Structure formats: C-alpha cells, structure tokens
Amino acid sequence: MKQEKISEAVVRRLPVYLRFLNELSLSDVQTVSSQDLGEKLDLNPAQIRKDLAYFGEFGRKGVGYNVAYLIEKIRHILKLDKTLNVALVGTGNLGRALCNYNMYTKDNMKIVAVFDADAGKTGTKINQMTVQPMSELSETVDRLGIAIGIITVPAIEAQNVADRFVAAGIKGILNFAPSVLKVPAGVRIHYADFTAELLSLAYYMDYEKRKEQGDVEE
Amino acid sequence: MKQEKISEAVVRRLPVYLRFLNELSLSDVQTVSSQDLGEKLDLNPAQIRKDLAYFGEFGRKGVGYNVAYLIEKIRHILKLDKTLNVALVGTGNLGRALCNYNMYTKDNMKIVAVFDADAGKTGTKINQMTVQPMSELSETVDRLGIAIGIITVPAIEAQNVADRFVAAGIKGILNFAPSVLKVPAGVRIHYADFTAELLSLAYYMDYEKRKEQGDVEE
C-alpha cells in the first residue's frame, strides 16, 4: 500500500505524544482525551485529533484514545517496533551522558558502539562498551547493522565525522555539535538543537515581560 | 512601539539562522543570499525571506543580506544583545557537559551557578563554579539576577526542580529530562528534545528506503 508523505511537523510531534503516553501508561492510565493531551502538551486538541487521524481512526468520541493502543500505533508509525542500533562518535561529557542515558531500551534505540579519534580514549569502557578507534567504524557499522550515528564531537570536527558515517553507509545522523553539516541526498540529518531552544527562550521571556506591561499585541 | 506576536515557528528558526550566520562570519563571508541560506539549512528561500522580512527590510535584491548586520538584528530580536544568566540543576554527565560547553560566551547566555541535591556533589568544582546545595537556589537566583534555569536531573525529579525554579522567580526553563512538566502561566518551558529528534529519524530512514523502492508518494 502506498503511504502518503507525513508532514515534518506531524512526525516531530509524534515522539512528544509518545513520551507523554508512556508516562500515562506507567501511571496505569487507560484512556486519554485529545483535551487532556492538548492541555498537558500545550497543543490545540483539534490539532492533535488531526495529527492522529492521519494514521486511521484511533479515538472514540466521548471515550478518548486507548493509551496502550495509541502507543503501539505511534511506535509502528515511527518504525520503533524493531530495535535500531546506534553508533556514537565523541566520548566527552555529552557523549558519555548519552551512552549512560536510559531511554534506549524503552524506545528501541540502542547505542551499541562508541568511537573516539583520541587514542588516549580508545580501549576505555563506557556503560559496558569499549571505546573504539575511528578506523574500526565501517567494519563495526556493517557487522552490527548500525542504522543511526550520533555526533558529539567539537563543531570543527563534526563534518569529518558525518563524512565518515556516510562513507560507512549510515543513513540517519543526529548532530549535537553546534554546526550545520552537509550530507548527500538520501541521508537524513537532525540537529539536537538545545542551543536553539535556549536562545528562543530569551525571546519569550522578554515577550512575557512586555505583555505584562501591555506593550505587545496578542 | 507595539510589536506583533511572532509565530513560534519563526522564533525557533531564528537561532538556526544565527548559528549559520555566525559560521559565515567566522569564515569572513560578508553577504549571503536567501538561496544560499535555504540550500544550507534545507529551507525554502521564500520562507527565509518572509521570516526575515518580519523584522524589517534586511536584504537587497541581487546583493543578499549583510551577514554582520543580520547577526546584530537577530541577536536584538532574540534579546541576546544583553547577557542572560543561567542556573543549572543536576551535575551528572549531561549537566557537566553543558557547564563545560562553550556556546555561552558567543551567545550571551552564561551558566553562572550549578546546583545538586546530592550532598556528595556540593562543594565540588565544575568549570570554575562550585556546586551548591538546593537550599541556596533562591538566594543565588536573586543575587545573580538569574533569568533561566536548566534541568538535567532524572525524569522523576524534574517536576520538583521546576517547582523550585518557579518559586525562586525564574521565568524560563530548559528541560533535558524526558518528562512533561507543569509550570504556571507566565513561565515558559522549552524541551531539549533530542529523544524526539532521534525517534523521528527512524521514521525518515524507513521513508527513504520505501521511496527507493517506489513505495511512497512524494
């Protein structure tokens, strides 16, 4: 069956829904309305209903969505119903933090190999993985069927790591370095853009202040 | 002068423009066209011109935008023309990574105080700051005029830290914990949502594969 292209905005909201639904599930909540979702996630309930309707009729009027079913559906849509292996390059504080982070089991993403260009780091252990030299990247990606690469090196080294990932056949990259990278068509790059989130906070804080002073239009 | 409310999508693209413009500036590039910006940032040039026109007429047809002037303008719009002090709670690997991260000087955001609920961590040093106990949060926020709080604690402790930030008078929060938090009106919360970026990668990688197989509509 051919599938329509889903808008980028929708694809990016699905993990946000999923995170909240996982929380509900942990608290043994069985059903949730688009109103509840909207209030908690600061989104318009009509928008949420529209997003979810993209993938078929999940909800029932007056009853809401079945949490477990919705989780299963979103995981299927995001292709999280099979485990994806991930490689990480750069074992500074941020890289180490990500290797120790516990999201992967729940979300079927798992960092299975860690690399560093610094010979002083290779051979050390992080969360039961041995840090490997960059020369082993291609072979390891092949052997472990690694699909996604994470970049946690300084900005100046990030393009080089991206090129190495691409050469090794990786098709999805998450870049934490504060630099814009070039990758060929067919390779998807996402930015872990907490600097953008932080910088846009400044705008909103000033906006709230001006709103209090009656200095902005709603 | 009253100012129109700028759409959230635009406010979130401005830091992305800013990051790339800063890179151009470092490479001594003087002007840039909306075409160049669009190609590099994977955005529609018409969209970029529209975003930037929001704030007045920056560009000149056939000449493009003056990089230094555009940086100055965007910094002004985002209120980054004055330094914002930031507090961070949670000194695990991720918290330490952020404290050591060098974006702050360039972007006028500076982590000036670090806190941890773990008495074993207080008194230790990270990047020349002494880790403080949570009991000192309010007083320190006051004394240093801290405007923004960063949360890098485990998910289960994140709401408690957010409440403490709010009680201390902080109006902007960046949450790295994978949990949805409640804050009162007038306080802005942003999520450093790298899990969402990572999870949405899975969708796109599958989509690219199906596209190769002629199995999706453009």
Side-chain angles (χ1 to χ4, degrees):
Chain A
M1 190 181 87
K2 291 227 180 195
Q3 207 177 318
E4 227 183 310
K5 185 168 186 179
I6 301 166
S7 90
E8 198 146 335
V10 177
V11 173
R12 277 163 198 266
R13 279 195 291 270
L14 291 179
V16 178
Y17 298 153
L18 184 59
R19 176 169 53 200
F20 182 53
L21 291 164
N22 280 330
E23 283 182 31
L24 289 178
S25 172
L26 282 173
S27 316
D28 284 324
V29 176
Q30 315 275 314
T31 56
V32 65
S33 68
S34 53
Q35 262 76 17
D36 291 345
L37 277 170
E39 198 181 305
K40 186 77 179 182
L41 301 175
D42 201 15
L43 288 168
N44 184 337
Q47 179 69 62
I48 292 175
R49 286 193 297 273
K50 200 175 146 220
D51 285 358
L52 297 178
Y54 237 116
F55 312 105
E57 283 303 324
F58 292 151
R60 280 170 56 199
K61 212 168 168 156
V63 179
Y65 298 96
N66 179 294
V67 171
Y69 182 69
L70 198 50
I71 287 174
E72 191 195 313
K73 271 295 192 187
I74 294 179
R75 292 173 69 89
H76 178 70
I77 293 155
L78 289 175
K79 308 298 163 193
L80 296 170
D81 39 10
K82 50 177 193 276
T83 301
L84 283 173
N85 283 345
V86 178
L88 180 142
V89 176
T91 62
N93 279 316
L94 182 59
R96 300 182 71 86
L98 294 176
C99 288
N100 288 315
Y101 196 55
N102 63 3
M103 63 156 290
Y104 303 102
T105 22
K106 190 181 73 212
D107 290 319
N108 280 347
M109 294 254 186
K110 195 172 159 56
I111 296 180
V112 293
V114 187
F115 299 85
D116 205 299
D118 176 356
K121 298 262 183 76
T122 58
T124 63
K125 291 256 181 190
I126 304 175
N127 200 11
Q128 295 164 341
M129 290 174 289
T130 304
V131 179
Q132 299 177 254
M134 288 300 283
S135 57
E136 294 177 6
L137 182 70
S138 269
E139 183 274 326
T140 306
V141 165
D142 254 17
R143 183 167 43 86
L144 301 179
I146 290 170
I148 288 177
I150 295 180
I151 300 178
T152 49
V153 298
I156 197 163
E157 294 164 30
Q159 182 64 56
N160 179 38
V161 174
D163 295 345
R164 300 288 295 267
F165 275 151
V166 170
I170 278 179
K171 299 285 188 208
I173 296 174
L174 182 63
N175 177 34
F176 279 87
S179 58
V180 181
L181 304 180
K182 266 206 181 319
V183 291
V187 176
R188 180 94 194 173
I189 187 153
H190 284 192
Y191 293 90
D193 216 343
F194 56 85
T195 66
E197 290 298 330
L198 196 53
L199 298 187
S200 59
L201 262 181
Y203 170 80
Y204 283 109
M205 292 170 53
D206 185 77
Y207 177 80
E208 291 288 339
K209 202 175 5 171
R210 284 182 288 121
K211 200 163 73 177
E212 275 173 25
Q213 296 162 350
D215 219 23
V216 286
E217 287 162 16
E218 282 286 354
Chain B
M1 190 182 85
K2 291 228 179 195
Q3 207 177 318
E4 229 184 307
K5 186 169 184 180
I6 301 167
S7 90
E8 204 151 325
V10 177
V11 172
R12 277 162 199 267
R13 280 195 290 270
L14 290 179
V16 178
Y17 299 152
L18 185 59
R19 177 170 52 200
F20 182 54
L21 291 165
N22 280 330
E23 283 182 30
L24 290 178
S25 172
L26 282 172
S27 315
D28 284 324
V29 177
Q30 317 275 312
T31 56
V32 65
S33 68
S34 53
Q35 262 76 16
D36 291 345
L37 276 169
E39 197 181 306
K40 186 77 179 180
L41 301 175
D42 201 16
L43 288 167
N44 183 337
Q47 179 70 64
I48 292 175
R49 286 193 298 272
K50 200 174 145 219
D51 285 358
L52 297 177
Y54 237 117
F55 312 106
E57 284 302 323
F58 292 151
R60 279 170 57 200
K61 213 169 168 153
V63 179
Y65 298 96
N66 179 294
V67 171
Y69 181 69
L70 198 50
I71 288 174
E72 190 195 313
K73 271 295 191 188
I74 293 179
R75 292 174 69 90
H76 178 68
I77 292 155
L78 290 175
K79 308 300 163 193
L80 296 170
D81 40 9
K82 51 177 191 276
T83 301
L84 284 173
N85 283 344
V86 178
L88 180 143
V89 176
T91 62
N93 279 316
L94 182 60
R96 300 182 69 87
L98 294 176
C99 288
N100 287 315
Y101 196 55
N102 62 3
M103 63 156 291
Y104 303 103
T105 22
K106 189 181 73 211
D107 290 320
N108 280 346
M109 295 255 186
K110 194 171 159 57
I111 296 180
V112 294
V114 187
F115 300 85
D116 204 298
D118 177 355
K121 298 260 183 77
T122 58
T124 62
K125 290 257 181 191
I126 304 174
N127 201 10
Q128 294 164 340
M129 290 174 289
T130 304
V131 179
Q132 298 178 254
M134 287 300 283
S135 57
E136 294 178 6
L137 181 70
S138 269
E139 184 272 327
T140 306
V141 165
D142 255 17
R143 183 167 43 85
L144 301 180
I146 289 170
I148 288 178
I150 295 180
I151 299 178
T152 48
V153 299
I156 197 162
E157 295 165 29
Q159 182 64 57
N160 180 39
V161 174
D163 295 345
R164 300 287 296 266
F165 274 151
V166 170
I170 277 179
K171 299 285 189 210
I173 296 173
L174 182 63
N175 177 35
F176 279 86
S179 58
V180 180
L181 304 181
K182 266 206 180 321
V183 291
V187 177
R188 179 95 193 171
I189 188 153
H190 283 192
Y191 294 90
D193 217 343
F194 56 84
T195 66
E197 291 298 329
L198 196 52
L199 298 187
S200 58
L201 262 182
Y203 171 80
Y204 283 109
M205 292 169 53
D206 185 78
Y207 176 80
E208 290 289 340
K209 203 175 359 169
R210 284 182 288 121
K211 200 164 73 177
E212 274 173 26
Q213 296 162 350
D215 220 22
V216 286
E217 288 161 17
E218 282 286 354

